[in-house]
């Protein structure tokens, strides 16, 4: 019985990957992401033209260490988390900021996985 269960789990995992499982969800649409960014993020993080804001600019975010934009307010915990932003760390953080980094200043995340993927795709265009 145990072998059958393990075999079934492995088969379902393979089918999920073959059918585009988690990797497919990670592919976002930058155009939709821009709209979501304008709805949920721009108020605190600004944009390329208006970078003065409550939170740090997200231009050039991918590859940058968390908590390193001069003049931006960060929690000590975010800086000490030693995170370098990539698609995976952003997805985790955006899903539940306070769950990813206890004591972070950003109070609310994006619950919808597709919306997170779209926002991340948009953030990749901000250079």
């Amino acid at each position: 019985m145990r072998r059958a269960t393990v075999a079934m789990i492995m088969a379902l995992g393979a089918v999920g990957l073959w059918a585009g499982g988690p990797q497919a969800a990670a592919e976002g649409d930058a155009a939709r992401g821009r709209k979501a960014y304008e709805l949920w993020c721009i108020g605190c993080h600004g944009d390329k033209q208006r970078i003065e804001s409550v939170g740090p600019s997200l231009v050039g975010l991918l590859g940058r260490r968390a908590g390193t934009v001069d003049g931006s307010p960060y929690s000590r915990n975010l800086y000490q988390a030693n995170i370098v932003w990539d698609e995976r760390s952003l997805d985790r953080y955006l899903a539940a900021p306070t769950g990813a980094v206890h004591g972070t200043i950003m109070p609310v995340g994006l619950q919808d996985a597709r919306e997170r993927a779209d926002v991340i795709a948009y953030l990749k265009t901000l250079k």
Side-chain angles (χ1 to χ4, degrees):
M1 180 77 166
R2 224 175 159 170
R3 284 186 195 175
T5 302
V6 171
M8 182 183 294
I9 291 169
M10 290 175 67
L12 289 172
V15 168
L17 291 175
W18 175 77
Q23 283 82 12
E27 292 299 320
D29 179 275
R32 283 193 317 253
R34 180 178 181 181
K35 290 177 184 176
Y37 183 89
E38 290 172 350
L39 179 65
W40 301 112
C41 313
I42 202 168
C44 292
H45 293 284
D47 61 13
K48 287 178 101 169
Q49 289 75 38
R50 184 178 59 99
I51 54 176
E52 288 190 24
S53 53
V54 175
S57 170
L58 301 182
V59 174
L61 178 68
L62 278 89
R64 185 168 74 205
R65 184 169 176 239
T68 59
V69 174
D70 288 340
S72 292
Y74 292 103
S75 67
R76 177 176 282 191
N77 290 359
L78 183 62
Y79 179 76
Q80 292 176 342
N82 200 26
I83 296 169
V84 174
W85 296 120
D86 60 16
E87 292 179 36
R88 187 174 181 185
S89 60
L90 274 171
D91 184 59
R92 181 171 181 248
Y93 186 76
L94 290 174
T98 56
V101 179
H102 179 72
T104 189
I105 294 171
M106 189 166 131
V108 182
L110 299 172
Q111 297 300 310
D112 184 83
R114 174 178 236 168
E115 193 169 41
R116 286 194 311 274
D118 292 343
V119 167
I120 292 167
Y122 174 66
L123 291 174
K124 289 167 65 174
T125 71
L126 299 179
K127 298 180 191 244

